[in-house]
Amino acid sequence: MMSSYSVTKPFVSVYVLAMVALQFPHSVLSLNHTNAYLNHICIKGEGTVKGNSYEEAVKGVIDHMSTYLGYGFVNGAGSDGPTKIYAKIQCRPDASESICRSCITTALPEIRRKCPNNKGRIIWYDNCLLDISSIYTLGKIDYRYIFYMYNSKDVSSNKMAFNKNTKALLYELKEKATSKKEIPYRRDYLYAAGEESLGTTKVYAMVQCTKDLSAKNCSVCLDWIMAKLPKCCNGKQGGRVLSPSCNFRYELYPFVKT
Ligand SMILES: *[C@@H]1O[C@H](CO)[C@@H](O)[C@H](O)[C@H]1NC(C)=O
Ligand SMILES: *[C@@H]1O[C@H](CO)[C@@H](O)[C@H](O)[C@H]1NC(C)=O
């Protein structure tokens, strides 16, 4: 089900491993499509480049990858002289192909502006992740970065019970997301969303890994970020932990349509 693809352009060779799109049974859309910018990182350790040819090469790789967004995940590679370019695009599985594409169209110039000259750069939005690196990381968990976001308001109910309930929901979703071994080339591979009630409080959550990970590594990645739950989100009305390889989010309102 995987097709490989390559083209040669003046500045760049693009090798895109595209995942073939299957029709998703029910079209899933986010309730509010505010595609918020979340964070970015300029990877100092990967060094810098000068001049426009690197940027043109990156754009060539991403533009090419953007024609394969039907699955919500695509990885590609290219080079600018001796500098390798490895890129990953992961969209939220409930974002349509056009929402995914428009997210990447926003992300690419934005990360260029934020990290001029950096070879390695990653940017997170609500609907997509764009990861550009000179190091090959496909299939590997990227432990280098992690960040939290939370709603500053506390829940009005029993905090301890709320934390316990939220944690249980996230672990249940992790199991769900990583048990889909048999269908690796679906949009919802390594992804799960769900909800749970505790008294009158309803918690909505989702977990997600980039689709290059194995189910096992997705599980390892989610364990790593979920262990940060008490640190980030103790009794908070909403919270997220994000890394380049996996993320979770919970809110007291529905943010994904199932
Ligand atoms: C999304 O919609 C819900 C209600 O459906 C609302 O409570 C929430 O604040 C909205 N979130 C954003 C980021 O606009
Ligand atoms: C899992 O991740 C590790 C480190 O991130 C990597 O070395 C390994 O190859 C991955 N395993 C699989 C089966 O993808």
Side-chain angles (χ1 to χ4, degrees), residues 31-36 126 151 240 249 251-255:
L31 290 180
N32 32 18
H33 282 309
T34 58
N35 182 33
D126 261 343
N151 186 323
R240 319 180 191 198
R249 177 180 180 185
E251 303 287 353
L252 298 186
Y253 57 84
F255 58 95

